[in-house]
Every structure is written in structure tokens, then in C-alpha cells.
Amino acid sequence: MRAMQVTELGQPLTLEDIPEPQAAPGQVVVKVRTCGLNFGDLLIIKGTYQEKPQLPFTLGMELCGTVTAVGEGVTDLLTGQRVAAYCGFDALADYAAIPANVCVPVPDEMTDEHAAAFLIAYGTSHVALSYKAGLKPGERLLVLGASGGVGLTAVELGKLMGAEVVAVARGAEKLQVAKQAGADHLVNSETDDIREMVKALGGADVVYDPIGGDQFRAALRACNPEARLIPLGFASGEVPQIPANHLLVKNLTVIGFYWGGYTRVNPAVLTDSFRELIAWYVEGRIHPHVSHVLPLEEANDALDLLRTRKATGKVVVRIS
């Protein structure tokens, strides 16, 4: 089968012909239709992600496809069933063997592109805002990187949860995408002073930050007393150092959050979140934003859209 693999860290993916996988006990084999790309894929290629698979390996964290084989002990999935899955790796291929317990049945109303773009982006924002930060109606939510894959879902879900949403993104075009997702206030990170603009609005009660660096520091200084900050990525390339004295003065809480870790420590958090999110999708309350869909052979071009920040929302690779 075809697979886009990392054969050398820091180098473009190569299209390889590798054996089709078999379903081990507890696994299913999925014929992949679409794969959603994520910023974490870029970190994996560089070797700087939390998890470091052995070379060579097939890239791709999340997928939508059809179950073609069921391993021993799997009773809740059937061949021919359409599923989405967070698999961590292996999604940029014709077939993937993945644990059955990370698969989520996909409703007929959901397209392949939306299903592949759904789990990580919406799951990350939903668990972060609801389960971790306890976002309440009427609170002011500051979203950094608001036009990106996870940031845009944080804008949409924050508004759905009743928050007043302040979106920070680079340039007017990306801010317009955030506005369409429900942002109440727009801050241009290229030209505006994030700290001063947020303070002028009344300060932030919750900060959602996939960026880090200077933007995190500005957001920290714009927080209201008892605000909660969620650093969940460092797209700027800089992991911020948090001054503890600032936390003390305002009684701030910084919440560590790695969404993928819940597959091991508490999978029920994710399955409960998916159940609610899929219901919202079917009801028409959330609308995934996919800016680009490219074929498997152009996966490197698709990754470049993330690397150069030319995409908004999600980039999806169509396999079949």
C-alpha cells in the first residue's frame, strides 16, 4: 500500500510502498479516506514532539475511513462501518491498523473531510474550555492563534458556551475567519497591542494559548484576578517561562493540558467530549472549517500550508 513516511527527521515525507497492516487483538484495520493534518505533525517531523516514533514511520494523527478488518476481542465495531479516529501516527496511508477504543462512529450527516478535521481540533478546545478551565457563560475568553486549526474551534465553542470571545490572529483576512466563527472582538497580532486592547475590553477571564512566546506574556498581563490560562502549544517556537509572582498577585491559575495524553490516563474524558460534539454537529450548531483538501501525493504541500501559516482552520489530505 501507499504511505507517506518520515525516513529522516527534518526532511520532506517520501511516498513509500509498504505492506498492508493486519489487525492485532484489540485493533481494527481502516481503509483511510481522509487524514486531518495538525501542527503537531510538523513537530513530529522535526523530532521535537512529545512522542518520538522510531524511523521510518508513517505520519498522520487523525483519520476518517471504513473498517475492513476486526481484530480478536473487538465487539463494538463491524467491517464496513465508517469511523473517525485519533491514532497519533499512520493516517497518511491507504490503510491503518489502530486500537478500536480510539475509533468513533461517524454519522451519515458528517462528510469525510469534516470527520478527519474534527476530533483533535474540536476535542482539544472542548476539553480545554469545559473540562479543564470550566468556562462559564458571560466570561471573557481570549483565544490566541484564533484562525488556526484548534484556535478557530475555541472561538466557535467559546461562543456556543456563552462566553464573550476575543480573537487574536495575524492579519485582517484571518481575523475575518474568526469573526465568522463567532468572535466578538478582533485583535491583529501584527499591528495591535494585545495587552492594552484586552485590558480596554475589561480583561481576560480565560486564556486559550496554542502560540506561546510574546503573546502568552501579553495575555498573562491582560488577565483579570482568578483568570485561568491554558498553554496547549507553542507555535511561536518559544515556550514561555511563567513568573510565579504574577500568579500570586492576581490569584491566577495556569493549567497544563495535553489532549492526546487522555487516551492513556482517562479515555472517558475524550469519549464523553466526542459524544457531545458529534451531537452538536448533527444539530448544526458547529461547522468545521477546512481551508484546503489535497491528495496524498501532495502531502508535503499540505504540510507547507501549515508551516507557512497560509491555511485557516484545517488542512485535509484525501487518500481515497
Side-chain angles (χ1 to χ4, degrees), residues 132-188:
K132 297 291 284 186
L135 180 67
K136 303 177 185 67
E139 289 192 309
R140 190 171 296 109
L141 168 66
L142 174 60
V143 180
L144 306 180
S147 67
V150 292
L152 196 61
T153 62
V155 170
E156 188 177 11
L157 292 178
K159 188 65 176 178
L160 186 58
M161 295 166 69
E164 179 185 343
V165 181
V166 183
V168 179
R170 180 181 296 181
E173 184 178 347
K174 291 185 176 182
L175 285 171
Q176 186 60 33
V177 173
K179 182 178 181 180
Q180 291 171 354
D184 298 288
H185 310 284
L186 306 176
V187 179
N188 189 334

Short mmCIF file of all heavy atoms in Angstrom, two decimals, residues 132-188:
data_model
loop_
_atom_site.label_atom_id
_atom_site.label_comp_id
_atom_site.label_asym_id
_atom_site.label_seq_id
_atom_site.Cartn_x
_atom_site.Cartn_y
_atom_site.Cartn_z
N LYS A 132 -11.30 21.41 31.64
CA LYS A 132 -10.13 21.94 32.35
C LYS A 132 -10.37 23.34 32.91
O LYS A 132 -10.09 23.60 34.08
CB LYS A 132 -8.92 21.94 31.42
CG LYS A 132 -8.49 20.57 30.95
CD LYS A 132 -7.91 19.71 32.07
CE LYS A 132 -6.50 20.13 32.43
NZ LYS A 132 -5.89 19.22 33.42
N ALA A 133 -10.84 24.27 32.08
CA ALA A 133 -10.95 25.66 32.52
C ALA A 133 -12.29 25.99 33.16
O ALA A 133 -12.40 26.99 33.86
CB ALA A 133 -10.71 26.61 31.34
N GLY A 134 -13.31 25.17 32.92
CA GLY A 134 -14.63 25.45 33.47
C GLY A 134 -15.19 26.78 33.00
O GLY A 134 -15.73 27.56 33.80
N LEU A 135 -15.07 27.04 31.70
CA LEU A 135 -15.55 28.30 31.14
C LEU A 135 -17.04 28.49 31.41
O LEU A 135 -17.85 27.59 31.17
CB LEU A 135 -15.30 28.32 29.63
CG LEU A 135 -15.75 29.56 28.86
CD1 LEU A 135 -14.93 30.78 29.27
CD2 LEU A 135 -15.66 29.32 27.35
N LYS A 136 -17.39 29.68 31.90
CA LYS A 136 -18.78 29.97 32.28
C LYS A 136 -19.39 31.00 31.33
O LYS A 136 -18.68 31.86 30.80
CB LYS A 136 -18.85 30.50 33.71
CG LYS A 136 -18.24 29.59 34.77
CD LYS A 136 -18.30 30.25 36.14
CE LYS A 136 -17.60 29.41 37.19
NZ LYS A 136 -16.13 29.36 36.95
N PRO A 137 -20.72 30.95 31.14
CA PRO A 137 -21.38 31.97 30.33
C PRO A 137 -21.10 33.37 30.89
O PRO A 137 -21.09 33.58 32.11
CB PRO A 137 -22.87 31.62 30.46
CG PRO A 137 -22.89 30.16 30.77
CD PRO A 137 -21.67 29.91 31.62
N GLY A 138 -20.84 34.30 29.99
CA GLY A 138 -20.56 35.67 30.40
C GLY A 138 -19.10 35.97 30.65
O GLY A 138 -18.73 37.15 30.77
N GLU A 139 -18.25 34.95 30.77
CA GLU A 139 -16.83 35.21 30.95
C GLU A 139 -16.20 35.66 29.64
O GLU A 139 -16.72 35.38 28.56
CB GLU A 139 -16.12 33.96 31.49
CG GLU A 139 -16.47 33.64 32.93
CD GLU A 139 -15.56 32.59 33.54
OE1 GLU A 139 -15.40 31.52 32.91
OE2 GLU A 139 -15.03 32.82 34.64
N ARG A 140 -15.05 36.33 29.76
CA ARG A 140 -14.35 36.81 28.57
C ARG A 140 -13.22 35.83 28.25
O ARG A 140 -12.30 35.64 29.03
CB ARG A 140 -13.82 38.22 28.79
CG ARG A 140 -13.28 38.89 27.52
CD ARG A 140 -12.98 40.37 27.76
NE ARG A 140 -14.21 41.11 28.06
CZ ARG A 140 -14.50 41.59 29.26
NH1 ARG A 140 -13.65 41.43 30.27
NH2 ARG A 140 -15.64 42.22 29.47
N LEU A 141 -13.31 35.23 27.07
CA LEU A 141 -12.35 34.24 26.61
C LEU A 141 -11.41 34.87 25.59
O LEU A 141 -11.86 35.39 24.57
CB LEU A 141 -13.07 33.05 25.99
CG LEU A 141 -12.22 32.05 25.21
CD1 LEU A 141 -11.25 31.31 26.13
CD2 LEU A 141 -13.12 31.04 24.47
N LEU A 142 -10.11 34.81 25.87
CA LEU A 142 -9.10 35.31 24.93
C LEU A 142 -8.48 34.12 24.21
O LEU A 142 -7.91 33.22 24.84
CB LEU A 142 -8.02 36.07 25.70
CG LEU A 142 -6.80 36.54 24.89
CD1 LEU A 142 -7.21 37.49 23.78
CD2 LEU A 142 -5.78 37.21 25.82
N VAL A 143 -8.63 34.09 22.88
CA VAL A 143 -8.11 32.99 22.06
C VAL A 143 -6.95 33.51 21.22
O VAL A 143 -7.14 34.36 20.34
CB VAL A 143 -9.21 32.40 21.14
CG1 VAL A 143 -8.63 31.26 20.31
CG2 VAL A 143 -10.39 31.91 21.97
N LEU A 144 -5.75 33.00 21.47
CA LEU A 144 -4.59 33.30 20.65
C LEU A 144 -4.55 32.31 19.49
O LEU A 144 -5.03 31.20 19.59
CB LEU A 144 -3.31 33.21 21.47
CG LEU A 144 -3.27 34.05 22.75
CD1 LEU A 144 -1.93 33.88 23.47
CD2 LEU A 144 -3.53 35.52 22.46
N GLY A 145 -3.96 32.73 18.36
CA GLY A 145 -3.94 31.85 17.20
C GLY A 145 -5.34 31.47 16.75
O GLY A 145 -5.62 30.33 16.40
N ALA A 146 -6.23 32.46 16.72
CA ALA A 146 -7.66 32.19 16.60
C ALA A 146 -8.11 31.73 15.23
O ALA A 146 -9.26 31.29 15.07
CB ALA A 146 -8.47 33.44 17.00
N SER A 147 -7.25 31.81 14.21
CA SER A 147 -7.65 31.34 12.89
C SER A 147 -7.09 29.96 12.55
O SER A 147 -7.36 29.43 11.48
CB SER A 147 -7.19 32.33 11.81
OG SER A 147 -5.77 32.35 11.73
N GLY A 148 -6.31 29.38 13.46
CA GLY A 148 -5.70 28.08 13.20
C GLY A 148 -6.63 26.92 13.47
O GLY A 148 -7.81 27.09 13.82
N GLY A 149 -6.09 25.71 13.34
CA GLY A 149 -6.91 24.51 13.45
C GLY A 149 -7.62 24.39 14.78
O GLY A 149 -8.83 24.15 14.82
N VAL A 150 -6.90 24.56 15.90
CA VAL A 150 -7.56 24.48 17.20
C VAL A 150 -8.12 25.82 17.63
O VAL A 150 -9.19 25.88 18.25
CB VAL A 150 -6.60 23.93 18.28
CG1 VAL A 150 -6.26 22.47 18.02
CG2 VAL A 150 -5.35 24.77 18.40
N GLY A 151 -7.43 26.91 17.31
CA GLY A 151 -7.89 28.22 17.74
C GLY A 151 -9.27 28.58 17.22
O GLY A 151 -10.10 29.13 17.96
N LEU A 152 -9.54 28.23 15.97
CA LEU A 152 -10.83 28.57 15.39
C LEU A 152 -11.96 27.80 16.08
O LEU A 152 -13.05 28.34 16.29
CB LEU A 152 -10.82 28.27 13.90
CG LEU A 152 -11.93 28.90 13.05
CD1 LEU A 152 -11.88 30.43 13.14
CD2 LEU A 152 -11.82 28.46 11.61
N THR A 153 -11.70 26.56 16.47
CA THR A 153 -12.73 25.80 17.20
C THR A 153 -12.93 26.37 18.60
O THR A 153 -14.05 26.31 19.13
CB THR A 153 -12.37 24.31 17.28
OG1 THR A 153 -11.15 24.13 18.01
CG2 THR A 153 -12.24 23.69 15.90
N ALA A 154 -11.87 26.91 19.21
CA ALA A 154 -12.02 27.53 20.52
C ALA A 154 -12.92 28.76 20.44
O ALA A 154 -13.74 29.01 21.33
CB ALA A 154 -10.66 27.90 21.10
N VAL A 155 -12.78 29.54 19.36
CA VAL A 155 -13.67 30.68 19.14
C VAL A 155 -15.11 30.20 19.02
O VAL A 155 -16.02 30.71 19.70
CB VAL A 155 -13.26 31.46 17.87
CG1 VAL A 155 -14.32 32.50 17.51
CG2 VAL A 155 -11.90 32.12 18.06
N GLU A 156 -15.33 29.20 18.18
CA GLU A 156 -16.68 28.72 17.92
C GLU A 156 -17.31 28.11 19.16
O GLU A 156 -18.47 28.41 19.51
CB GLU A 156 -16.63 27.69 16.78
CG GLU A 156 -18.00 27.25 16.30
CD GLU A 156 -17.91 26.28 15.13
OE1 GLU A 156 -16.79 25.80 14.83
OE2 GLU A 156 -18.97 26.00 14.52
N LEU A 157 -16.56 27.26 19.86
CA LEU A 157 -17.11 26.61 21.04
C LEU A 157 -17.27 27.60 22.20
O LEU A 157 -18.24 27.52 22.96
CB LEU A 157 -16.22 25.44 21.47
CG LEU A 157 -16.18 24.26 20.51
CD1 LEU A 157 -15.22 23.18 21.03
CD2 LEU A 157 -17.56 23.65 20.30
N GLY A 158 -16.32 28.51 22.34
CA GLY A 158 -16.44 29.51 23.39
C GLY A 158 -17.71 30.32 23.24
O GLY A 158 -18.43 30.57 24.22
N LYS A 159 -18.01 30.73 22.01
CA LYS A 159 -19.24 31.48 21.76
C LYS A 159 -20.46 30.61 22.04
O LYS A 159 -21.44 31.07 22.64
CB LYS A 159 -19.25 31.96 20.30
CG LYS A 159 -20.38 32.90 19.98
CD LYS A 159 -20.24 34.21 20.76
CE LYS A 159 -21.33 35.20 20.37
NZ LYS A 159 -21.23 36.44 21.17
N LEU A 160 -20.42 29.35 21.64
CA LEU A 160 -21.53 28.44 21.88
C LEU A 160 -21.76 28.22 23.37
O LEU A 160 -22.91 28.03 23.80
CB LEU A 160 -21.24 27.10 21.19
CG LEU A 160 -22.33 26.03 21.20
CD1 LEU A 160 -23.61 26.54 20.54
CD2 LEU A 160 -21.84 24.77 20.49
N MET A 161 -20.68 28.27 24.15
CA MET A 161 -20.78 28.08 25.60
C MET A 161 -21.15 29.36 26.34
O MET A 161 -21.22 29.38 27.57
CB MET A 161 -19.46 27.51 26.13
CG MET A 161 -19.15 26.11 25.61
SD MET A 161 -17.44 25.60 25.88
CE MET A 161 -17.41 25.42 27.67
N GLY A 162 -21.37 30.44 25.61
CA GLY A 162 -21.87 31.68 26.22
C GLY A 162 -20.83 32.69 26.61
O GLY A 162 -21.13 33.66 27.31
N ALA A 163 -19.58 32.50 26.16
CA ALA A 163 -18.52 33.44 26.51
C ALA A 163 -18.50 34.64 25.57
O ALA A 163 -19.04 34.59 24.45
CB ALA A 163 -17.17 32.74 26.48
N GLU A 164 -17.87 35.72 26.01
CA GLU A 164 -17.54 36.85 25.16
C GLU A 164 -16.14 36.56 24.62
O GLU A 164 -15.18 36.46 25.39
CB GLU A 164 -17.55 38.14 25.96
CG GLU A 164 -17.18 39.39 25.17
CD GLU A 164 -17.10 40.62 26.06
OE1 GLU A 164 -17.64 40.59 27.19
OE2 GLU A 164 -16.47 41.60 25.63
N VAL A 165 -16.00 36.41 23.31
CA VAL A 165 -14.78 35.88 22.72
C VAL A 165 -13.94 36.98 22.08
O VAL A 165 -14.42 37.73 21.22
CB VAL A 165 -15.09 34.79 21.67
CG1 VAL A 165 -13.79 34.23 21.09
CG2 VAL A 165 -15.92 33.67 22.30
N VAL A 166 -12.68 37.04 22.50
CA VAL A 166 -11.70 37.96 21.91
C VAL A 166 -10.74 37.10 21.09
O VAL A 166 -10.04 36.23 21.63
CB VAL A 166 -10.92 38.73 22.98
CG1 VAL A 166 -9.96 39.71 22.34
CG2 VAL A 166 -11.87 39.44 23.93
N ALA A 167 -10.68 37.33 19.79
CA ALA A 167 -9.86 36.52 18.89
C ALA A 167 -8.61 37.30 18.48
O ALA A 167 -8.70 38.44 18.03
CB ALA A 167 -10.65 36.14 17.64
N VAL A 168 -7.45 36.65 18.62
CA VAL A 168 -6.18 37.22 18.19
C VAL A 168 -5.66 36.40 17.02
O VAL A 168 -5.52 35.18 17.12
CB VAL A 168 -5.14 37.21 19.33
CG1 VAL A 168 -3.81 37.80 18.85
CG2 VAL A 168 -5.66 37.99 20.54
N ALA A 169 -5.38 37.06 15.90
CA ALA A 169 -4.84 36.37 14.73
C ALA A 169 -4.02 37.36 13.92
O ALA A 169 -4.04 38.58 14.16
CB ALA A 169 -5.96 35.77 13.87
N ARG A 170 -3.31 36.84 12.93
CA ARG A 170 -2.39 37.65 12.13
C ARG A 170 -3.06 38.11 10.84
O ARG A 170 -3.29 37.33 9.94
CB ARG A 170 -1.14 36.84 11.81
CG ARG A 170 -0.10 37.58 10.99
CD ARG A 170 1.09 36.72 10.68
NE ARG A 170 1.81 36.34 11.88
CZ ARG A 170 2.92 35.60 11.87
NH1 ARG A 170 3.39 35.13 10.74
NH2 ARG A 170 3.52 35.30 13.01
N GLY A 171 -3.39 39.39 10.76
CA GLY A 171 -3.91 39.96 9.53
C GLY A 171 -5.42 39.98 9.45
O GLY A 171 -6.12 39.19 10.08
N ALA A 172 -5.94 40.90 8.63
CA ALA A 172 -7.38 41.12 8.53
C ALA A 172 -8.11 39.91 7.96
O ALA A 172 -9.24 39.60 8.38
CB ALA A 172 -7.65 42.36 7.66
N GLU A 173 -7.50 39.22 7.00
CA GLU A 173 -8.16 38.08 6.38
C GLU A 173 -8.41 36.96 7.39
O GLU A 173 -9.51 36.40 7.45
CB GLU A 173 -7.32 37.56 5.21
CG GLU A 173 -7.98 36.42 4.44
CD GLU A 173 -7.15 35.97 3.25
OE1 GLU A 173 -6.20 36.69 2.88
OE2 GLU A 173 -7.45 34.89 2.70
N LYS A 174 -7.41 36.67 8.20
CA LYS A 174 -7.57 35.61 9.20
C LYS A 174 -8.54 36.04 10.31
O LYS A 174 -9.31 35.23 10.83
CB LYS A 174 -6.22 35.22 9.78
CG LYS A 174 -5.33 34.50 8.78
CD LYS A 174 -4.04 34.02 9.41
CE LYS A 174 -3.23 33.22 8.39
NZ LYS A 174 -1.97 32.69 8.99
N LEU A 175 -8.52 37.30 10.65
CA LEU A 175 -9.46 37.79 11.66
C LEU A 175 -10.90 37.70 11.17
O LEU A 175 -11.82 37.44 11.95
CB LEU A 175 -9.12 39.23 12.04
CG LEU A 175 -7.89 39.39 12.94
CD1 LEU A 175 -7.52 40.85 13.07
CD2 LEU A 175 -8.14 38.78 14.32
N GLN A 176 -11.11 37.89 9.87
CA GLN A 176 -12.46 37.77 9.33
C GLN A 176 -12.97 36.35 9.47
O GLN A 176 -14.16 36.13 9.75
CB GLN A 176 -12.46 38.19 7.86
CG GLN A 176 -13.85 38.23 7.23
CD GLN A 176 -14.79 39.21 7.91
OE1 GLN A 176 -14.36 40.25 8.41
NE2 GLN A 176 -16.07 38.88 7.94
N VAL A 177 -12.09 35.35 9.31
CA VAL A 177 -12.48 33.95 9.51
C VAL A 177 -12.91 33.74 10.97
O VAL A 177 -13.91 33.08 11.25
CB VAL A 177 -11.32 33.01 9.14
CG1 VAL A 177 -11.66 31.56 9.51
CG2 VAL A 177 -11.01 33.11 7.65
N ALA A 178 -12.16 34.32 11.90
CA ALA A 178 -12.51 34.20 13.32
C ALA A 178 -13.83 34.90 13.63
O ALA A 178 -14.64 34.41 14.43
CB ALA A 178 -11.39 34.79 14.19
N LYS A 179 -14.07 36.04 12.99
CA LYS A 179 -15.34 36.74 13.19
C LYS A 179 -16.51 35.89 12.72
O LYS A 179 -17.56 35.81 13.39
CB LYS A 179 -15.31 38.08 12.44
CG LYS A 179 -16.58 38.90 12.63
CD LYS A 179 -16.47 40.24 11.91
CE LYS A 179 -17.73 41.06 12.11
NZ LYS A 179 -17.63 42.39 11.41
N GLN A 180 -16.34 35.23 11.58
CA GLN A 180 -17.40 34.37 11.06
C GLN A 180 -17.66 33.18 11.98
O GLN A 180 -18.77 32.65 12.00
CB GLN A 180 -17.03 33.88 9.66
CG GLN A 180 -17.05 34.99 8.61
CD GLN A 180 -16.46 34.55 7.28
OE1 GLN A 180 -15.94 33.45 7.14
NE2 GLN A 180 -16.54 35.42 6.29
N ALA A 181 -16.65 32.78 12.76
CA ALA A 181 -16.82 31.68 13.71
C ALA A 181 -17.47 32.13 15.01
O ALA A 181 -17.78 31.29 15.87
CB ALA A 181 -15.47 31.02 14.01
N GLY A 182 -17.66 33.46 15.17
CA GLY A 182 -18.38 33.94 16.34
C GLY A 182 -17.63 34.90 17.24
O GLY A 182 -18.15 35.30 18.29
N ALA A 183 -16.42 35.31 16.88
CA ALA A 183 -15.65 36.22 17.74
C ALA A 183 -16.37 37.56 17.90
O ALA A 183 -16.89 38.13 16.94
CB ALA A 183 -14.26 36.44 17.15
N ASP A 184 -16.37 38.05 19.14
CA ASP A 184 -16.99 39.35 19.43
C ASP A 184 -16.02 40.50 19.22
O ASP A 184 -16.44 41.62 18.87
CB ASP A 184 -17.47 39.36 20.89
CG ASP A 184 -18.53 38.31 21.17
OD1 ASP A 184 -19.66 38.48 20.70
OD2 ASP A 184 -18.21 37.31 21.84
N HIS A 185 -14.74 40.26 19.46
CA HIS A 185 -13.72 41.30 19.33
C HIS A 185 -12.52 40.71 18.59
O HIS A 185 -12.18 39.54 18.77
CB HIS A 185 -13.28 41.80 20.71
CG HIS A 185 -14.41 42.18 21.61
ND1 HIS A 185 -15.11 43.36 21.47
CD2 HIS A 185 -14.98 41.53 22.66
CE1 HIS A 185 -16.05 43.42 22.40
NE2 HIS A 185 -16.00 42.33 23.13
N LEU A 186 -11.86 41.55 17.78
CA LEU A 186 -10.76 41.09 16.95
C LEU A 186 -9.50 41.89 17.27
O LEU A 186 -9.54 43.12 17.38
CB LEU A 186 -11.09 41.27 15.47
CG LEU A 186 -12.40 40.63 14.98
CD1 LEU A 186 -12.65 40.96 13.51
CD2 LEU A 186 -12.37 39.12 15.19
N VAL A 187 -8.38 41.17 17.42
CA VAL A 187 -7.09 41.80 17.72
C VAL A 187 -6.08 41.30 16.68
O VAL A 187 -5.87 40.08 16.55
CB VAL A 187 -6.60 41.46 19.14
CG1 VAL A 187 -5.24 42.11 19.40
CG2 VAL A 187 -7.62 41.89 20.18
N ASN A 188 -5.47 42.22 15.96
CA ASN A 188 -4.49 41.88 14.94
C ASN A 188 -3.11 41.77 15.59
O ASN A 188 -2.55 42.79 16.04
CB ASN A 188 -4.48 42.95 13.84
CG ASN A 188 -3.64 42.55 12.65
OD1 ASN A 188 -2.70 41.76 12.76
ND2 ASN A 188 -3.96 43.11 11.49
#
